[in-house]
Protein backbone atom coordinates (compact mmCIF):
# COMPACT_ATOMS: atom_id res chain seq x y z
CA UNK A 1 0.00 0.00 0.00
CA UNK A 2 2.81 2.42 0.81
CA UNK A 3 4.58 1.62 -2.47
CA UNK A 4 1.70 3.40 -4.25
CA UNK A 5 2.67 6.63 -2.49
CA UNK A 6 6.32 6.10 -3.32
CA UNK A 7 5.53 5.33 -6.97
CA UNK A 8 3.37 8.44 -7.24
CA UNK A 9 6.23 10.55 -5.88
CA UNK A 10 8.62 9.04 -8.43
CA UNK A 11 6.10 9.64 -11.24
CA UNK A 12 5.81 13.27 -10.15
CA UNK A 13 9.61 13.65 -10.20
CA UNK A 14 9.94 12.06 -13.64
CA UNK A 15 7.16 14.19 -15.10
CA UNK A 16 8.60 17.40 -13.64
CA UNK A 17 12.11 16.48 -14.83
CA UNK A 18 10.82 15.90 -18.37
CA UNK A 19 9.15 19.33 -18.44
CA UNK A 20 12.20 20.98 -16.87
CA UNK A 21 14.49 19.38 -19.45
CA UNK A 22 12.32 20.63 -22.28
CA UNK A 23 12.07 24.20 -20.98
CA UNK A 24 15.72 24.38 -19.89
CA UNK A 25 16.71 23.15 -23.35
CA UNK A 26 14.67 25.85 -25.03
CA UNK A 27 16.04 28.55 -22.71
CA UNK A 28 19.67 27.60 -23.14
CA UNK A 29 19.62 27.28 -26.93
CA UNK A 30 20.32 30.97 -27.42
CA UNK A 31 22.86 31.35 -24.63
CA UNK A 32 26.56 30.68 -24.39
CA UNK A 33 26.08 27.57 -22.31
CA UNK A 34 28.21 24.50 -22.72
CA UNK A 35 26.80 21.00 -22.69
CA UNK A 36 28.48 20.34 -19.33
CA UNK A 37 26.75 23.33 -17.74
CA UNK A 38 23.42 22.20 -19.16
CA UNK A 39 23.91 18.64 -17.86
CA UNK A 40 24.89 19.87 -14.40
CA UNK A 41 21.80 22.10 -14.29
CA UNK A 42 19.65 19.18 -15.37
CA UNK A 43 21.21 16.92 -12.73
CA UNK A 44 20.48 19.47 -10.02
CA UNK A 45 16.92 19.90 -11.28
CA UNK A 46 16.33 16.13 -11.31
CA UNK A 47 17.68 15.84 -7.75
CA UNK A 48 15.41 18.67 -6.60
CA UNK A 49 12.41 17.11 -8.36
CA UNK A 50 13.03 13.70 -6.81
CA UNK A 51 13.48 15.30 -3.39
CA UNK A 52 10.22 17.24 -3.70
CA UNK A 53 8.33 14.24 -5.06
CA UNK A 54 9.49 11.83 -2.40
CA UNK A 55 9.02 14.28 0.48
CA UNK A 56 5.54 15.07 -0.83
CA UNK A 57 4.78 11.33 -1.05
CA UNK A 58 6.07 10.88 2.52
CA UNK A 59 3.79 13.61 3.84
CA UNK A 60 0.77 12.23 1.98
CA UNK A 61 1.59 8.74 3.27
CA UNK A 62 1.85 9.94 6.87
CA UNK A 63 -1.49 11.74 6.66
CA UNK A 64 -3.11 8.71 5.02
CA UNK A 65 -1.53 6.32 7.49
CA UNK A 66 -3.74 7.37 10.38
CA UNK A 67 -6.86 6.70 8.30
CA UNK A 68 -5.53 3.24 7.45
CA UNK A 69 -4.89 2.52 11.12
CA UNK A 70 -8.36 3.78 12.13
CA UNK A 71 -10.08 1.34 9.76
CA UNK A 72 -8.68 -1.57 11.81
CA UNK A 73 -9.97 -0.02 15.09
CA UNK A 74 -6.91 -0.96 17.14
CA UNK A 75 -6.19 -0.30 20.78
CA UNK A 76 -5.26 3.45 20.92
CA UNK A 77 -1.83 2.75 22.39
CA UNK A 78 -1.08 0.02 19.84
CA UNK A 79 -2.38 2.24 17.03
CA UNK A 80 -0.17 5.12 18.13
CA UNK A 81 2.84 2.80 18.44
CA UNK A 82 2.24 1.43 14.93
CA UNK A 83 1.74 4.95 13.54
CA UNK A 84 5.05 6.20 14.98
CA UNK A 85 6.88 3.05 13.88
CA UNK A 86 5.49 3.17 10.33
CA UNK A 87 6.15 6.92 10.04
CA UNK A 88 9.76 6.42 11.18
CA UNK A 89 10.22 3.54 8.75
CA UNK A 90 8.81 5.62 5.88
CA UNK A 91 11.11 8.53 6.79
CA UNK A 92 14.10 6.17 6.94
CA UNK A 93 13.21 4.72 3.54
CA UNK A 94 12.84 8.12 1.86
CA UNK A 95 15.98 9.55 3.46
CA UNK A 96 18.03 6.47 2.53
CA UNK A 97 16.74 6.60 -1.05
CA UNK A 98 17.57 10.32 -1.36
CA UNK A 99 21.01 9.89 0.22
CA UNK A 100 21.77 7.06 -2.21
CA UNK A 101 20.55 9.23 -5.10
CA UNK A 102 22.69 12.20 -3.99
CA UNK A 103 25.66 9.92 -3.40
CA UNK A 104 25.38 8.41 -6.86
CA UNK A 105 25.11 11.88 -8.41
CA UNK A 106 28.09 13.19 -6.45
CA UNK A 107 30.14 10.10 -7.33
CA UNK A 108 29.26 10.47 -10.99
CA UNK A 109 30.21 14.16 -11.06
CA UNK A 110 33.45 13.42 -9.21
CA UNK A 111 34.31 10.61 -11.63
CA UNK A 112 33.59 12.83 -14.65
CA UNK A 113 35.75 15.59 -13.16
CA UNK A 114 38.65 13.16 -12.64
CA UNK A 115 38.35 11.87 -16.20
CA UNK A 116 38.28 15.44 -17.54
CA UNK A 117 41.29 16.34 -15.39
CA UNK A 118 43.31 13.37 -16.65
CA UNK A 119 42.34 14.15 -20.26
CA UNK A 120 43.48 17.76 -19.82
CA UNK A 121 46.75 16.54 -18.31
CA UNK A 122 47.32 14.19 -21.27
CA UNK A 123 46.56 16.92 -23.79
CA UNK A 124 48.77 19.38 -21.89
CA UNK A 125 51.98 17.54 -22.68
CA UNK A 126 52.14 14.80 -20.09
CA UNK A 127 55.08 14.80 -17.71
CA UNK A 128 54.53 15.49 -14.07
CA UNK A 129 51.98 18.19 -14.80
CA UNK A 130 54.02 20.99 -13.18
CA UNK A 131 54.26 24.27 -14.99
CA UNK A 132 56.61 27.03 -13.98
CA UNK A 133 56.08 30.55 -15.26
CA UNK A 134 59.31 32.45 -15.89
CA UNK A 135 59.47 35.79 -17.58
CA UNK A 136 55.84 35.63 -18.71
CA UNK A 137 56.36 32.30 -20.47
CA UNK A 138 55.24 28.87 -19.35
CA UNK A 139 58.06 26.39 -18.97
CA UNK A 140 56.53 22.90 -19.17
CA UNK A 141 59.78 21.15 -18.22
CA UNK A 142 59.31 22.08 -14.59
CA UNK A 143 62.44 24.17 -14.17
CA UNK A 144 64.65 21.35 -12.96
CA UNK A 145 68.41 20.96 -13.42
CA UNK A 146 68.07 21.07 -17.22
CA UNK A 147 66.56 24.55 -17.25
CA UNK A 148 68.88 26.99 -19.05
CA UNK A 149 67.55 30.57 -19.01
CA UNK A 150 70.36 31.87 -21.28
CA UNK A 151 68.93 29.88 -24.23
CA UNK A 152 65.62 31.74 -24.14
Amino acid sequence: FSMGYFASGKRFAKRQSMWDAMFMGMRSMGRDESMVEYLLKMLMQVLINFSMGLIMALIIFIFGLWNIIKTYQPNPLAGLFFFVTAACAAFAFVSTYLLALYGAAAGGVYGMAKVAESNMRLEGGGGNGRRVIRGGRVDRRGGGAGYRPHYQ
Side-chain angles (χ1 to χ4, degrees):
F1 198 57
S2 66
M3 290 308 277
Y5 292 109
F6 178 69
S8 69
K10 279 182 22 179
R11 276 195 310 272
F12 168 81
K14 287 178 184 177
R15 189 173 46 251
Q16 287 300 109
S17 298
M18 181 194 67
W19 285 109
D20 286 341
M22 185 177 77
F23 286 120
M24 285 176 84
M26 288 192 314
R27 268 193 318 236
S28 69
M29 280 184 211
R31 279 197 246 145
D32 298 336
E33 190 172 55
S34 71
M35 187 61 133
V36 173
E37 290 172 330
Y38 174 74
L39 290 176
L40 285 176
K41 278 186 183 178
M42 271 311 302
L43 176 66
M44 288 303 297
Q45 197 62 45
V46 166
L47 290 175
I48 289 170
N49 288 341
F50 267 95
S51 299
M52 285 185 355
L54 290 177
I55 290 171
M56 183 177 67
L58 174 67
I59 292 170
I60 292 170
F61 171 74
I62 289 174
F63 280 119
L65 180 62
W66 189 249
N67 290 329
I68 295 168
I69 293 173
K70 281 194 328 189
T71 60
Y72 287 100
Q73 300 172 346
N75 176 8
L77 190 60
L80 181 65
F81 176 73
F82 182 77
F83 176 79
V84 169
T85 304
C88 287
F91 177 77
F93 178 76
V94 168
S95 61
T96 302
Y97 190 87
L98 287 176
L99 283 174
L101 193 65
Y102 288 135
V109 169
Y110 179 75
M112 297 279 270
K114 285 307 230 181
V115 167
E117 179 187 357
S118 67
N119 284 343
M120 286 177 55
R121 191 174 297 144
L122 287 175
E123 290 174 6
N128 60 6
R130 284 190 331 170
R131 294 181 183 172
V132 179
I133 298 176
R134 293 206 171 100
R137 296 178 55 184
V138 176
D139 180 23
R140 294 182 189 270
R141 292 173 293 186
Y147 178 69
R148 299 183 187 131
H150 58 278
Y151 286 143
Q152 291 188 8

